[in-house]
Amino acid sequence: MPHLNLESFNPLTFPTRCGEVEFLFQANYRNPEEGALIATRYKEREFFLVYKNGSKKLLKSDKITRPSPNFILKHALLAYAECSNSPILDSNVDNAPENTHLKTHDALKSISYFANHFPRDKEVRIEVGFGSARHLLHQAAANPDVLFIGLEIHKPSIEQALKQIVIQNLTNIMILDYDARLFLEFVPSNIVGKIYVHFPVPWDKKPHRRVISEAFLKESERALRIGGTLELRTDSENYYRFALETFSLPAISRFDVRKNQEIAIVSKYEDRWKRQEKNIYDVTFTCESESPEPDTIGDFSFSTAPIAPNIIDRLSKETYKRDWGFLHVERTFTIGEEGSMIRLAMGSFDRPESTYVVIENNSAYYYPSLPVRSSANLKAHILLNELIHG
Ligand SMILES: C[S@@+](CC[C@H](N)C(=O)[O-])C[C@H]1O[C@@H](n2cnc3c(N)ncnc32)[C@H](O)[C@@H]1O
């Protein structure tokens, strides 16, 4: 992860503009000796830089709000050091110009793009964890009338895919840096032709992290149109058996199983498993019924009622568990003399979301972006709003 090791960390006055980067405010850890988060804006992206004051004085990215592509982060780190006159001892950040492949195309989308305007004008196919993107690129080139949405959480894979999209001049791929387990809730019902899950991480020791789950299958069934398919391809016998059990759960479903089926394009993983003569399993679920639209009514606004006294201390003492999920304050911060900020984990147990809420001038708001509009997050928000206002 890009970072700077500073000789000394010098604060800025806020807001400050350094070329294309703006520094908006600083939120200090409750113990300011530990460090601070610096709210940063580059064009329309807002995120936090983190200053950690330990045996080294490190300036790096906040994991929750980390921007993509990496260029933005590197640019912001260097801008902070320069404008605050904080000398750099060493770093792993180069001063390379922005990768023009990333700059000149718009295939990289944010989750809010899908939450606000999910494209519905053509058939959609989704690839979960596209890795080297061989399959995604091949399918998109072979099916120009279909919109492909590629989901991946590994940033170097995303950057490689974006480069290839430009080189191959493909206009029917959208790439999203997002957890596939959260994404499906944003997909309207009955519009997806195929969902590919090829060689997912087996997570044998942490099965709750697997992409395939009962909840994922239910959401896939809702998003798929009649005749649409969810295609799992795996070399892991464990995952295959687990998928069989999971796919057997819903009442209205049909699934087929194949072994060592050849497909048009072979991924890097598949190449490796084939060389090792491993068996490859396909489990394909076919949607047979129409589904209603998802029930996600409500928003993430806070009431304007007065904020309860000592709310930050009270919130941080408890984890609020409910049947739909939970709400937990992980960290607390101070902003200036009067303001505060909390880092929350919230939502469903198997798909928690981390987010920040700023509380100042008797009002509260999520920063830098709203939580994902899932039903569990909306319920967690209702609970938080009640707690904050007493
Ligand atoms: C074993 S690789 C397979 C890549 C590719 N499908 C192939 O066949 O070569 C699994 C990929 O899934 C991605 N991944 C894991 N969990 C994910 C999730 N929850 N959402 C999106 N991608 C995920 C990983 O980053 C990794 O690139």
Side-chain angles (χ1 to χ4, degrees):
M1 165 127 54
H3 63 264
L4 308 179
N5 181 13
L6 301 175
E7 190 179 322
S8 62
F9 172 80
N10 297 326
L12 289 169
T13 45
F14 296 100
T16 292
R17 175 179 269 282
C18 293
E20 289 179 301
V21 185
E22 287 169 88
F23 298 104
L24 307 169
F25 65 88
Q26 177 169 324
N28 293 318
Y29 285 99
R30 256 320 179 55
N31 169 9
E33 288 301 303
E34 256 189 81
L37 304 193
I38 299 130
T40 305
R41 185 190 293 140
Y42 174 81
K43 297 187 178 164
E44 275 127 51
R45 313 272 181 91
E46 288 186 33
F47 53 94
F48 283 116
L49 297 183
V50 181
Y51 166 57
K52 278 271 183 190
N53 183 22
S55 55
K56 291 182 172 182
K57 297 180 189 311
L58 286 182
L59 189 63
K60 55 186 188 173
S61 170
D62 167 49
K63 288 198 183 112
I64 298 170
T65 59
R66 182 177 170 176
S68 180
N70 249 344
F71 163 80
I72 298 176
L73 177 58
K74 293 180 185 175
H75 195 56
L77 289 169
L78 294 174
Y80 188 94
E82 189 183 330
C83 290
S84 64
N85 291 316
S86 300
I88 301 171
L89 280 178
D90 57 79
S91 89
N92 61 356
V93 174
D94 56 50
N95 206 353
E98 186 167 8
N99 181 339
T100 50
H101 289 305
L102 303 183
K103 201 174 180 181
T104 55
H105 72 77
D106 66 351
L108 183 64
K109 300 291 181 205
S110 67
I111 188 62
S112 53
Y113 172 87
F114 292 101
N116 298 332
H117 336 261
F118 202 100
R120 312 182 66 131
D121 52 336
K122 36 172 110 159
E123 180 189 334
V124 170
R125 296 190 195 167
I126 297 170
E127 177 149 358
V128 170
F130 54 75
S132 65
R134 274 195 209 171
H135 180 262
L136 180 66
L137 295 162
H138 167 86
Q139 287 289 350
N143 299 283
D145 296 333
V146 174
L147 171 66
F148 286 82
I149 299 174
L151 305 174
E152 184 46 79
I153 51 175
H154 182 238
K155 296 194 192 309
S157 300
I158 291 176
E159 299 208 355
Q160 275 310 312
L162 291 172
K163 215 168 169 177
Q164 284 302 320
I165 290 169
V166 174
I167 291 169
Q168 298 182 29
N169 201 15
L170 293 167
T171 53
N172 59 333
I173 304 187
M174 292 181 180
I175 298 286
L176 179 62
D177 176 359
Y178 205 69
D179 188 326
R181 296 173 302 164
L182 291 166
F183 177 71
L184 283 185
E185 281 204 45
F186 299 92
V187 183
S189 300
N190 316 305
I191 68 156
V192 177
K194 285 180 190 291
I195 302 172
Y196 306 102
V197 185
H198 285 184
F199 302 96
V201 182
W203 291 115
D204 285 339
K205 294 200 175 126
K206 295 182 181 167
H208 63 280
R209 296 189 66 174
R210 288 175 178 157
V211 168
I212 298 288
S213 68
E214 190 179 350
F216 184 83
L217 191 56
K218 279 192 183 145
E219 282 298 308
S220 299
E221 183 171 31
R222 185 190 56 69
L224 287 168
R225 59 194 200 186
I226 292 180
T229 52
L230 165 63
E231 303 182 8
L232 167 70
R233 190 164 172 83
T234 181
D235 58 289
S236 157
E237 199 155 332
N238 241 352
Y239 207 110
Y240 160 68
R241 294 196 186 288
F242 162 79
L244 282 190
E245 266 173 44
T246 313
F247 281 45
S248 306
L249 289 170
I252 31 162
S253 72
R254 188 165 64 78
F255 69 89
D256 302 310
V257 178
R258 303 243 168 112
K259 195 168 161 184
N260 297 329
Q261 184 183 214
E262 296 290 333
I263 57 170
I265 186 88
V266 173
S267 78
K268 253 174 33 187
Y269 279 86
E270 186 159 347
D271 263 347
R272 190 188 305 160
W273 306 140
K274 280 193 158 158
R275 280 198 299 275
Q276 293 177 14
E277 298 189 349
K278 278 181 100 174
N279 286 323
I280 291 173
Y281 302 91
D282 284 285
V283 187
T284 305
F285 164 87
T286 305
C287 173
E288 295 190 319
S289 57
E290 278 219 353
S291 303
E293 284 303 324
D295 171 21
T296 44
I297 296 166
D299 64 25
F300 291 105
S301 59
F302 286 92
S303 141
T304 51
I307 297 207
N310 303 327
I311 185 60
I312 304 280
D313 292 333
R314 286 201 281 127
L315 281 176
S316 54
K317 287 203 177 89
E318 222 179 308
T319 298
Y320 300 86
K321 289 187 186 160
R322 300 290 185 269
D323 55 357
W324 45 259
F326 75 106
L327 178 70
H328 172 64
V329 172
E330 294 178 328
R331 275 268 181 178
T332 60
F333 305 83
T334 57
I335 302 175
E337 297 290 306
E338 305 272 315
S340 331
M341 187 170 85
I342 50 180
R343 189 176 84 206
L344 286 170
M346 65 193 254
S348 65
F349 292 110
D350 57 346
R351 309 187 225 178
E353 175 159 355
S354 293
T355 181
Y356 294 97
V357 175
V358 173
I359 302 174
E360 60 183 358
N361 301 330
N362 228 3
S363 69
Y365 57 92
Y366 291 93
Y367 183 86
S369 53
L370 296 178
V372 171
R373 208 183 149 70
S374 67
S375 57
N377 283 352
L378 285 164
K379 287 179 180 135
H381 170 72
I382 293 170
L383 173 60
L384 178 64
N385 190 38
E386 283 167 12
L387 292 166
I388 281 187
H389 299 288

